[in-house]
Amino acid sequence: MSTHQADHGPGLYAISDLHAGFDGNLDAIDRLRPRTDGDWLVVAGDVADRFGTIVDTLDRLRDRFARVVWTPGNHDLWTPPGDPVQARGAERYGALVDALRRHDVTTPDDDWPVWTSGAGPVTIVPLHLLFDYSFRDTTGLSRREAVAEARRSGVMSSDEVYLHPDPFESRDAWSRALVDAARRRLDALPDGVRTVLVNHYPLERGPLARIRRAQIGMWAGTTATAGWAVRYRAEAVVYGHLHIPVTDVIEGVPHHEVSLGYPRERGHEWSRPRRALRLLEPGGADIVVTPS
Protein backbone atom coordinates (compact mmCIF):
# COMPACT_ATOMS: atom_id res chain seq x y z
CA MET A 1 0.00 0.00 0.00
CA SER A 2 1.21 3.49 -0.76
CA THR A 3 2.41 5.45 2.27
CA HIS A 4 0.95 8.49 0.53
CA GLN A 5 -2.54 7.10 0.93
CA ALA A 6 -1.94 6.07 4.53
CA ASP A 7 -0.99 9.67 5.33
CA HIS A 8 -3.99 11.27 3.67
CA GLY A 9 -7.00 9.19 4.69
CA PRO A 10 -10.02 8.70 2.41
CA GLY A 11 -9.38 8.69 -1.32
CA LEU A 12 -11.28 9.39 -4.49
CA TYR A 13 -10.77 6.53 -6.95
CA ALA A 14 -11.82 5.96 -10.53
CA ILE A 15 -12.20 3.01 -12.85
CA SER A 16 -14.15 2.28 -16.02
CA ASP A 17 -14.95 -0.47 -18.52
CA LEU A 18 -15.51 -3.19 -15.93
CA HIS A 19 -17.32 -5.37 -18.49
CA ALA A 20 -18.73 -7.49 -15.69
CA GLY A 21 -20.29 -9.98 -18.09
CA PHE A 22 -16.85 -11.50 -18.71
CA ASP A 23 -15.90 -14.25 -16.26
CA GLY A 24 -12.30 -13.11 -16.30
CA ASN A 25 -13.34 -9.76 -14.86
CA LEU A 26 -15.47 -10.99 -11.96
CA ASP A 27 -12.53 -11.68 -9.64
CA ALA A 28 -11.03 -8.33 -10.57
CA ILE A 29 -14.25 -6.54 -9.62
CA ASP A 30 -14.54 -8.47 -6.35
CA ARG A 31 -11.04 -7.29 -5.45
CA LEU A 32 -11.96 -3.61 -5.83
CA ARG A 33 -12.18 -2.68 -2.18
CA PRO A 34 -11.68 0.57 -0.30
CA ARG A 35 -8.78 1.29 2.00
CA THR A 36 -10.87 3.45 4.32
CA ASP A 37 -14.55 3.80 5.21
CA GLY A 38 -14.59 7.19 3.50
CA ASP A 39 -13.31 6.18 0.05
CA TRP A 40 -15.35 7.13 -3.03
CA LEU A 41 -15.36 5.29 -6.34
CA VAL A 42 -16.09 6.87 -9.73
CA VAL A 43 -17.15 4.39 -12.43
CA ALA A 44 -16.86 5.93 -15.90
CA GLY A 45 -19.15 3.62 -17.84
CA ASP A 46 -19.28 0.23 -19.56
CA VAL A 47 -20.13 -1.69 -16.42
CA ALA A 48 -21.80 -4.44 -18.49
CA ASP A 49 -24.02 -5.10 -21.50
CA ARG A 50 -27.06 -6.36 -19.60
CA PHE A 51 -29.32 -4.26 -17.43
CA GLY A 52 -29.38 -6.56 -14.40
CA THR A 53 -25.61 -7.04 -14.39
CA ILE A 54 -25.06 -3.27 -14.43
CA VAL A 55 -27.32 -2.72 -11.45
CA ASP A 56 -26.02 -5.72 -9.46
CA THR A 57 -22.37 -4.79 -10.04
CA LEU A 58 -22.79 -1.17 -8.97
CA ASP A 59 -24.88 -2.24 -5.99
CA ARG A 60 -22.05 -4.51 -4.79
CA LEU A 61 -19.54 -1.70 -5.19
CA ARG A 62 -21.83 0.68 -3.31
CA ASP A 63 -21.88 -1.78 -0.40
CA ARG A 64 -18.12 -1.31 -0.11
CA PHE A 65 -17.50 2.35 -0.93
CA ALA A 66 -18.89 5.39 0.88
CA ARG A 67 -20.15 6.72 -2.45
CA VAL A 68 -20.25 5.34 -5.99
CA VAL A 69 -20.63 7.79 -8.88
CA TRP A 70 -21.61 6.32 -12.26
CA THR A 71 -21.84 7.69 -15.75
CA PRO A 72 -23.03 5.49 -18.64
CA GLY A 73 -20.88 4.03 -21.35
CA ASN A 74 -22.07 2.82 -24.71
CA HIS A 75 -22.34 -0.80 -23.51
CA ASP A 76 -24.53 0.27 -20.59
CA LEU A 77 -26.97 1.75 -23.11
CA TRP A 78 -27.08 -1.26 -25.43
CA THR A 79 -30.28 -3.29 -25.78
CA PRO A 80 -28.88 -6.76 -26.55
CA PRO A 81 -31.09 -9.68 -27.61
CA GLY A 82 -32.16 -11.79 -24.68
CA ASP A 83 -31.87 -9.06 -22.08
CA PRO A 84 -35.07 -9.18 -19.97
CA VAL A 85 -35.11 -5.37 -20.06
CA GLN A 86 -35.72 -4.37 -23.68
CA ALA A 87 -36.03 -0.61 -23.11
CA ARG A 88 -34.14 1.35 -25.76
CA GLY A 89 -32.25 4.61 -25.95
CA ALA A 90 -33.25 7.37 -23.56
CA GLU A 91 -35.83 5.09 -21.95
CA ARG A 92 -33.13 2.56 -21.09
CA TYR A 93 -30.94 5.26 -19.59
CA GLY A 94 -33.87 6.52 -17.52
CA ALA A 95 -34.63 3.01 -16.27
CA LEU A 96 -30.99 2.62 -15.21
CA VAL A 97 -31.10 5.91 -13.33
CA ASP A 98 -34.26 4.84 -11.49
CA ALA A 99 -32.79 1.44 -10.58
CA LEU A 100 -29.44 2.80 -9.46
CA ARG A 101 -31.02 5.50 -7.31
CA ARG A 102 -32.74 2.74 -5.36
CA HIS A 103 -29.26 1.40 -4.59
CA ASP A 104 -27.90 4.83 -3.62
CA VAL A 105 -25.60 5.08 -6.65
CA THR A 106 -25.09 8.65 -7.88
CA THR A 107 -26.00 9.19 -11.55
CA PRO A 108 -25.59 12.13 -13.96
CA ASP A 109 -29.20 13.10 -13.28
CA ASP A 110 -28.62 13.57 -9.54
CA ASP A 111 -27.16 16.48 -7.64
CA TRP A 112 -23.44 16.51 -8.31
CA PRO A 113 -21.57 15.48 -5.15
CA VAL A 114 -18.79 17.53 -3.63
CA TRP A 115 -15.56 15.82 -2.65
CA THR A 116 -13.51 17.61 -0.01
CA SER A 117 -9.76 17.13 -0.28
CA GLY A 118 -6.86 18.84 1.37
CA ALA A 119 -7.02 21.44 -1.39
CA GLY A 120 -10.68 22.23 -0.73
CA PRO A 121 -14.04 21.22 -2.21
CA VAL A 122 -14.33 19.86 -5.74
CA THR A 123 -17.58 19.06 -7.54
CA ILE A 124 -17.66 15.62 -9.15
CA VAL A 125 -19.50 15.95 -12.47
CA PRO A 126 -20.67 12.68 -14.08
CA LEU A 127 -21.54 13.48 -17.69
CA HIS A 128 -24.04 11.52 -19.76
CA LEU A 129 -22.72 12.14 -23.27
CA LEU A 130 -22.50 10.10 -26.47
CA PHE A 131 -20.66 10.27 -29.78
CA ASP A 132 -21.68 12.16 -32.91
CA TYR A 133 -19.15 10.79 -35.45
CA SER A 134 -17.29 14.12 -35.43
CA PHE A 135 -14.05 12.35 -34.42
CA ARG A 136 -14.03 10.54 -37.76
CA ASP A 137 -10.72 10.79 -39.55
CA THR A 138 -12.07 10.23 -43.07
CA THR A 139 -11.58 13.63 -44.66
CA GLY A 140 -14.38 14.83 -46.89
CA LEU A 141 -16.84 12.02 -46.11
CA SER A 142 -20.22 12.60 -44.53
CA ARG A 143 -21.16 10.68 -41.39
CA ARG A 144 -23.18 8.21 -43.46
CA GLU A 145 -20.36 7.74 -45.97
CA ALA A 146 -17.77 7.28 -43.21
CA VAL A 147 -19.85 4.58 -41.52
CA ALA A 148 -20.34 2.82 -44.85
CA GLU A 149 -16.60 2.96 -45.54
CA ALA A 150 -15.88 1.52 -42.08
CA ARG A 151 -18.29 -1.32 -42.79
CA ARG A 152 -16.56 -2.09 -46.08
CA SER A 153 -13.20 -2.09 -44.29
CA GLY A 154 -14.39 -4.50 -41.62
CA VAL A 155 -14.18 -1.84 -38.91
CA MET A 156 -17.65 -1.45 -37.43
CA SER A 157 -18.85 -0.63 -33.95
CA SER A 158 -21.60 -2.77 -32.42
CA ASP A 159 -23.16 0.54 -31.34
CA GLU A 160 -24.64 0.65 -34.85
CA VAL A 161 -26.68 -2.44 -33.92
CA TYR A 162 -27.34 -2.33 -30.18
CA LEU A 163 -27.25 1.34 -29.17
CA HIS A 164 -30.61 2.74 -30.19
CA PRO A 165 -31.21 6.50 -30.18
CA ASP A 166 -34.97 6.39 -29.42
CA PRO A 167 -36.80 8.74 -29.32
CA PHE A 168 -34.23 10.75 -31.30
CA GLU A 169 -33.91 10.28 -35.03
CA SER A 170 -30.21 9.40 -34.84
CA ARG A 171 -27.37 8.83 -32.40
CA ASP A 172 -25.80 12.14 -33.37
CA ALA A 173 -29.09 13.95 -32.70
CA TRP A 174 -29.23 12.38 -29.25
CA SER A 175 -25.60 13.37 -28.73
CA ARG A 176 -26.31 17.01 -29.59
CA ALA A 177 -29.21 17.12 -27.14
CA LEU A 178 -27.06 15.64 -24.37
CA VAL A 179 -24.21 18.08 -25.02
CA ASP A 180 -26.62 21.03 -24.89
CA ALA A 181 -28.15 19.82 -21.61
CA ALA A 182 -24.75 19.22 -20.01
CA ARG A 183 -23.45 22.59 -21.13
CA ARG A 184 -26.44 24.41 -19.63
CA ARG A 185 -25.96 22.67 -16.30
CA LEU A 186 -22.22 23.28 -16.24
CA ASP A 187 -22.68 26.93 -17.17
CA ALA A 188 -24.96 27.28 -14.14
CA LEU A 189 -22.19 26.31 -11.70
CA PRO A 190 -21.19 29.21 -9.45
CA ASP A 191 -18.05 31.12 -10.39
CA GLY A 192 -14.90 29.55 -9.02
CA VAL A 193 -16.27 26.04 -8.47
CA ARG A 194 -13.59 23.45 -9.24
CA THR A 195 -14.64 20.19 -10.88
CA VAL A 196 -13.65 16.67 -11.79
CA LEU A 197 -15.30 15.94 -15.13
CA VAL A 198 -16.25 12.27 -15.58
CA ASN A 199 -17.27 10.99 -19.00
CA HIS A 200 -17.12 7.61 -20.67
CA TYR A 201 -15.48 9.06 -23.78
CA PRO A 202 -12.42 11.34 -23.97
CA LEU A 203 -13.34 15.00 -23.99
CA GLU A 204 -10.47 15.79 -26.36
CA ARG A 205 -9.44 14.20 -29.63
CA GLY A 206 -5.76 13.84 -28.77
CA PRO A 207 -5.92 10.46 -26.93
CA LEU A 208 -7.44 8.84 -30.04
CA ALA A 209 -3.99 8.94 -31.66
CA ARG A 210 -3.20 5.80 -29.64
CA ILE A 211 -5.92 3.56 -31.07
CA ARG A 212 -4.79 1.06 -33.68
CA ARG A 213 -7.63 1.55 -36.15
CA ALA A 214 -8.38 5.23 -36.54
CA GLN A 215 -11.87 4.69 -37.98
CA ILE A 216 -13.08 3.47 -34.58
CA GLY A 217 -12.60 7.03 -33.34
CA MET A 218 -15.88 8.16 -34.87
CA TRP A 219 -17.67 6.19 -32.11
CA ALA A 220 -15.47 7.64 -29.35
CA GLY A 221 -16.89 11.03 -28.42
CA THR A 222 -17.54 14.45 -29.87
CA THR A 223 -15.54 17.53 -30.78
CA ALA A 224 -18.23 19.56 -28.98
CA THR A 225 -16.50 18.89 -25.63
CA ALA A 226 -13.13 20.33 -26.67
CA GLY A 227 -11.90 22.84 -24.10
CA TRP A 228 -14.43 21.87 -21.42
CA ALA A 229 -11.72 20.95 -18.89
CA VAL A 230 -10.40 24.50 -18.88
CA ARG A 231 -13.77 26.19 -19.32
CA TYR A 232 -15.24 24.35 -16.32
CA ARG A 233 -12.19 24.61 -14.07
CA ALA A 234 -11.43 20.88 -13.98
CA GLU A 235 -8.81 19.61 -11.57
CA ALA A 236 -8.94 16.37 -13.55
CA VAL A 237 -10.86 14.59 -16.31
CA VAL A 238 -11.73 10.91 -15.93
CA TYR A 239 -12.76 8.77 -18.90
CA GLY A 240 -12.56 5.26 -20.32
CA HIS A 241 -13.71 3.58 -23.54
CA LEU A 242 -10.30 3.35 -25.22
CA HIS A 243 -9.01 0.53 -22.99
CA ILE A 244 -5.62 2.26 -22.85
CA PRO A 245 -4.99 3.34 -19.25
CA VAL A 246 -2.81 6.43 -19.40
CA THR A 247 -2.71 10.04 -18.21
CA ASP A 248 -2.32 12.97 -20.59
CA VAL A 249 -1.92 16.55 -19.45
CA ILE A 250 -3.88 18.75 -21.84
CA GLU A 251 -3.78 22.52 -21.33
CA GLY A 252 -2.53 21.90 -17.82
CA VAL A 253 -5.30 19.46 -16.83
CA PRO A 254 -4.65 15.72 -16.28
CA HIS A 255 -6.94 13.51 -18.36
CA HIS A 256 -6.99 9.99 -16.87
CA GLU A 257 -8.07 6.97 -18.93
CA VAL A 258 -8.95 4.39 -16.26
CA SER A 259 -10.24 1.29 -18.09
CA LEU A 260 -10.09 -2.21 -16.69
CA GLY A 261 -10.97 -3.57 -20.15
CA TYR A 262 -11.37 -7.13 -21.37
CA PRO A 263 -9.50 -10.07 -19.82
CA ARG A 264 -7.60 -10.75 -23.05
CA GLU A 265 -6.17 -7.22 -22.97
CA ARG A 266 -4.58 -7.61 -19.55
CA GLY A 267 -2.81 -10.94 -19.75
CA HIS A 268 -1.83 -11.79 -16.20
CA GLU A 269 -2.06 -8.25 -14.87
CA TRP A 270 -4.58 -9.24 -12.23
CA SER A 271 -2.04 -11.56 -10.61
CA ARG A 272 -0.98 -8.25 -9.06
CA PRO A 273 -3.27 -5.83 -7.21
CA ARG A 274 -5.15 -3.59 -9.62
CA ARG A 275 -4.23 0.07 -9.62
CA ALA A 276 -6.87 2.79 -9.64
CA LEU A 277 -6.58 6.54 -9.64
CA ARG A 278 -6.67 8.57 -6.53
CA LEU A 279 -7.40 12.08 -7.65
CA LEU A 280 -6.82 15.51 -6.16
CA GLU A 281 -3.88 14.57 -3.97
CA PRO A 282 -0.25 15.04 -5.04
CA GLY A 283 1.27 11.85 -6.38
CA GLY A 284 -2.06 10.05 -6.29
CA ALA A 285 -2.19 8.58 -9.77
CA ASP A 286 -0.85 5.13 -8.93
CA ILE A 287 -2.49 3.98 -5.71
CA VAL A 288 -3.39 0.34 -5.02
CA VAL A 289 -7.10 0.04 -4.29
CA THR A 290 -7.27 -3.71 -3.68
CA PRO A 291 -5.78 -5.63 -0.76
CA SER A 292 -2.60 -7.54 -1.47
Side-chain angles (χ1 to χ4, degrees), residues 125-171:
V125 179
L127 296 165
H128 170 28
L129 300 176
L130 284 174
F131 55 87
D132 62 2
Y133 307 89
S134 59
F135 280 158
R136 63 184 180 271
D137 72 331
T138 314
T139 304
L141 295 185
S142 69
R143 187 265 293 173
R144 187 183 301 275
E145 291 168 338
V147 171
E149 176 61 28
R151 182 178 288 109
R152 286 191 294 270
S153 302
V155 181
M156 179 56 60
S157 170
S158 295
D159 292 343
E160 294 294 315
V161 178
Y162 300 126
L163 203 167
H164 303 284
D166 312 35
F168 297 89
E169 63 180 2
S170 64
R171 296 171 194 85

Side-chain angles (χ1 to χ4, degrees), residues 5-281:
Q5 182 176 351
D7 292 342
H8 286 82
L12 173 63
Y13 297 93
I15 198 165
S16 73
D17 296 77
L18 295 172
H19 295 289
F22 286 79
D23 290 342
N25 280 5
L26 296 180
D27 178 61
I29 294 167
D30 284 342
R31 293 172 61 188
L32 284 172
R33 300 196 176 261
R35 286 293 191 179
T36 79
D37 291 340
D39 289 349
W40 288 19
L41 181 65
V42 170
V43 182
D46 276 8
V47 177
D49 298 353
R50 290 178 175 263
F51 191 99
T53 306
I54 298 166
V55 176
D56 290 347
T57 300
L58 291 171
D59 181 42
R60 283 188 283 125
L61 291 171
R62 178 61 186 87
D63 285 343
R64 303 170 202 164
F65 288 84
R67 186 185 286 269
V68 171
V69 180
W70 165 83
T71 194
N74 53 313
H75 283 249
D76 301 324
L77 299 175
W78 282 5
T79 308
D83 191 330
V85 178
Q86 284 292 299
R88 293 161 52 124
E91 181 184 0
R92 188 174 187 84
Y93 170 71
L96 281 168
V97 167
D98 290 343
L100 292 172
R101 281 173 170 168
R102 290 194 291 271
H103 294 282
D104 196 29
V105 173
T106 302
T107 79
D109 285 13
D110 296 316
D111 292 338
W112 292 335
V114 176
W115 167 262
T116 300
S117 74
V122 177
T123 298
I124 311 301
V125 179
L127 296 165
H128 170 28
L129 300 176
L130 284 174
F131 55 87
D132 62 2
Y133 307 89
S134 59
F135 280 158
R136 63 184 180 271
D137 72 331
T138 314
T139 304
L141 295 185
S142 69
R143 187 265 293 173
R144 187 183 301 275
E145 291 168 338
V147 171
E149 176 61 28
R151 182 178 288 109
R152 286 191 294 270
S153 302
V155 181
M156 179 56 60
S157 170
S158 295
D159 292 343
E160 294 294 315
V161 178
Y162 300 126
L163 203 167
H164 303 284
D166 312 35
F168 297 89
E169 63 180 2
S170 64
R171 296 171 194 85
D172 30 340
W174 190 9
S175 176
R176 287 191 296 271
L178 291 171
V179 166
D180 289 345
R183 187 184 290 117
R184 287 194 298 270
R185 194 170 173 190
L186 284 163
D187 286 342
L189 285 171
D191 290 343
V193 168
R194 298 183 305 136
T195 66
V196 170
L197 300 181
V198 182
N199 190 42
H200 180 61
Y201 306 99
L203 297 184
E204 301 286 343
R205 185 171 191 153
L208 298 182
R210 294 190 178 93
I211 62 178
R212 288 187 300 129
R213 307 190 76 171
Q215 286 170 303
I216 291 294
M218 76 176 89
W219 293 282
T222 170
T223 58
T225 57
W228 278 23
V230 173
R231 177 176 179 177
Y232 298 116
R233 300 169 297 281
E235 293 292 311
V237 172
V238 174
Y239 70 99
H241 190 66
L242 302 185
H243 293 203
I244 307 173
V246 69
T247 295
D248 293 301
V249 178
I250 302 172
E251 295 187 272
V253 180
H255 291 239
H256 303 295
E257 208 283 5
V258 295
S259 297
L260 171 60
Y262 299 120
R264 65 178 182 272
E265 295 170 327
R266 295 192 307 278
H268 298 292
E269 181 181 352
W270 272 89
S271 63
R272 306 186 302 275
R274 173 66 179 180
R275 296 173 299 174
L277 292 176
R278 183 183 185 186
L279 307 176
L280 312 182
E281 299 287 356

